[in-house]
Amino acid sequence: SLVFPVMLLAMTAMGGGIGAGAASAVARALGARRPLEAARVAEHALLLAVAIGVAFGAAMYFVAEPLFHAMGGRGAVLA
């Protein structure tokens, strides 16, 4: 499928990068007995993930067809 590489990139960036960083920051805040800071970190991580997801989706709206065409998509695959 042509969508798999693009989705894999998006999922890796979101889950791997933001998720690992946020989990580490939340764990450090909880270990320091600062639950309010941990909640703020989690909230900001969620907002960041949503913002990046919306930006990525908007970008893909405009570049999906040329990108998939460059990846070898033809005919009904691009419809």
Side-chain angles (χ1 to χ4, degrees), residues 2-70:
L2 293 175
V3 176
F4 180 72
V6 177
M7 287 306 299
L8 181 64
L9 176 65
M11 297 291 286
T12 301
M14 293 292 198
I18 296 172
S24 173
V26 167
R28 283 184 278 127
L30 290 175
R33 301 200 188 283
R34 295 190 305 248
L36 186 58
E37 181 181 339
R40 283 192 208 134
V41 168
E43 179 183 345
H44 284 104
L46 178 62
L47 291 174
L48 180 62
V50 168
I52 291 172
V54 168
F56 187 78
M60 286 306 297
Y61 179 79
F62 294 106
V63 300
E65 189 172 341
L67 175 65
F68 294 148
H69 184 71

